[in-house]
Every structure is written in C-alpha cells, then in structure tokens.
Amino acid sequence: MSLTDIILKTLNLRDTNIKFYEKSITEEVIKGKRSLIYHAYLTYEVETCPKCGCLNNGLIDKHGFKLSRIKMPSVSKLNTYLYLNKQRYYCNHCKASFMCANDIVNRGCFISNNTKLSIATDMGKIISEKDIAKNNNVSSNTVERVMDSYYDSSTVWKNYL
C-alpha cells in the first residue's frame, strides 16, 4: 500500500486522481493554532470541454495549477487542511479556462463535504451552534448554512389559512 493510499484512507477521500507529494505532511500555525497540512495535486486527462463540449483533439491545453486550501475534519485533534493544486485547462476552441473537478468540495467552496457531514452529525447532539463551530474549526455562520442545507425547515406562512 502506497503513501497516497494511506493518506486517502486517513482523510476518507475516494478520488484516485489526487496524488500526494513526497513531503506531503507538514505542520504550520494557522490562525494561532497548530495545524496539520497535507500537500497534494489533482490532475487527469479531460475528454471534453465543460463549457463548449468540444472533444479533446489537441484543442485543450494544460494551463498551470491553482492552489486551494481546503478545511478537512480534524485528525488527532489537530486542525487539518489539504493544500490541493488543481490542474487548470485552456480550451482553444471556445477560449475558456476551467479546472479539474472533484468530489471533495463543492464548486467555489473551501470547506470539505466531510467537514459539513461532521457538522450535520454534531447537530443531532444537544450542544450549541458555537460549540459545534469550535469543535469543527468553522464559524457559527457556516454551521447555520450547513443546518439550512441539510435540514428542511417547515416555515409557517401566515398569509393564508
């Protein structure tokens, strides 16, 4: 079993396109707290452009990387982040650029879906939102947004009987 497989199992990730660098685990102080940092990159060969749908017949070029700092669930009570270099592509047909997609985070988000699931699990316990936020190293507003997205609230409309 390789180091990449072990880290993927530790972080509960299923994307096999993620590869970890040789020195992939470091410790840093982020926001005044000791944190565990995993360094990885995401790349794969694209078949079509998601913008225009043209096939990759030499029209789609690799266009560098974009670094994302993704908040992951805590490992050994340490705040955990994944520094993920996502491969960027450029389509010469429609002149648009795009990045590799993954299932770790939603598009435009930097909090992992596993962290959101951990927040939703903690909401089943009898603790405050601020304690849930502190335990998961997120803001209380994030806890509210996760609560709104996971739980359907039945609002009472008083405009009709």
Side-chain angles (χ1 to χ4, degrees), residues 14 17 43 92 96-97 104-105 111 119-120 131 150 156-157 159:
R14 291 178 182 82
N17 294 319
T43 185
N92 290 314
S97 63
I104 299 171
V105 293
I111 298 173
I119 292 168
D131 289 336
Y150 274 86
V156 178
W157 300 98
N159 296 340

Side-chain angles (χ1 to χ4, degrees), residues 100-116:
C100 288
N102 59 19
D103 59 348
I104 299 171
V105 293
N106 298 333
R107 188 172 184 270
C109 192
F110 294 101
I111 298 173
S112 71
N113 293 330
N114 288 342
T115 303
K116 292 178 184 177

